[in-house]
Amino acid sequence: MSVGMLFFGLVFMGGWAAALGALVAAVVTLVRVRRRDWTRRQGHPAARLLLPAPAFLRFDVALAVTALLADLWFVSAVLVFGSDGIFTEDWMGYPGMVDSTGQGYQAGVVSALRTTACWTFGIAVLGRCWITAGVQMCLLPLAAWWIGTFDTYFT
């Protein structure tokens, strides 16, 4: 049991480190391409607005990887904190004593995941980061649905 908890804790911290590393890579990409064109110079104005220049596309990909890793870390954090007496899924094993304050945990987490998806999608669209917006609308709502299907001790 303690080896399993140690392994899951190390994976959890590794996810945090990977998300921070991806954020650093996105910032480095942004610094490298800051002097290049961020919009296309030729074509219809709508196409120039919607189709990013190659330098901006590289930044968008780096930001999408960062968002993906941060989202995976967020979902794993939800599972780590929820496995301690709230969720009763068979694959989690015996969670220990039932946490009496955890009745609203599942609903709160689903709401937080959906709210995070909406805000990050909106920010990505405002920044014309189309790949990042797609990642945010694909991963977080599905994670919210998945966590919403878990059995808890309170349902």
Side-chain angles (χ1 to χ4, degrees):
M1 180 76 164
S2 64
V3 173
M5 292 296 285
L6 176 66
F7 175 74
F8 199 69
L10 289 175
V11 170
F12 181 69
M13 294 305 289
W16 178 255
L20 286 177
L23 180 61
V24 168
V27 169
V28 167
T29 303
L30 179 63
V31 168
R32 285 185 181 166
V33 300
R34 74 179 184 275
R35 296 186 191 272
R36 297 189 184 157
D37 291 333
W38 288 72
T39 58
R40 295 185 184 271
R41 298 221 181 262
Q42 299 167 344
H44 192 273
R48 288 190 310 211
L49 177 69
L50 295 177
L51 298 175
F56 188 74
L57 190 59
R58 282 194 297 274
F59 170 69
D60 189 13
V61 168
L63 192 61
V65 169
T66 302
L68 175 72
L69 291 172
D71 293 346
L72 290 175
W73 178 83
F74 186 27
V75 171
S76 69
V78 165
L79 293 177
V80 165
F81 295 124
S83 66
D84 189 25
I86 296 172
F87 297 132
T88 61
E89 291 292 317
D90 293 335
W91 52 270
M92 287 186 180
Y94 177 69
M97 296 179 61
V98 177
D99 183 8
S100 61
T101 62
Q103 287 183 324
Y105 180 78
Q106 186 177 22
V109 163
V110 169
S111 175
L113 286 168
R114 288 181 179 157
T115 302
T116 303
C118 290
W119 276 99
T120 55
F121 172 79
I123 292 168
V125 166
L126 285 176
R128 295 183 322 120
C129 296
W130 310 123
I131 298 170
T132 305
V135 166
Q136 293 303 95
M137 285 312 289
C138 289
L139 184 68
L140 288 178
L142 285 176
W145 169 80
W146 180 56
I147 290 173
T149 63
F150 284 0
D151 288 333
T152 66
Y153 281 105
F154 308 103
T155 57

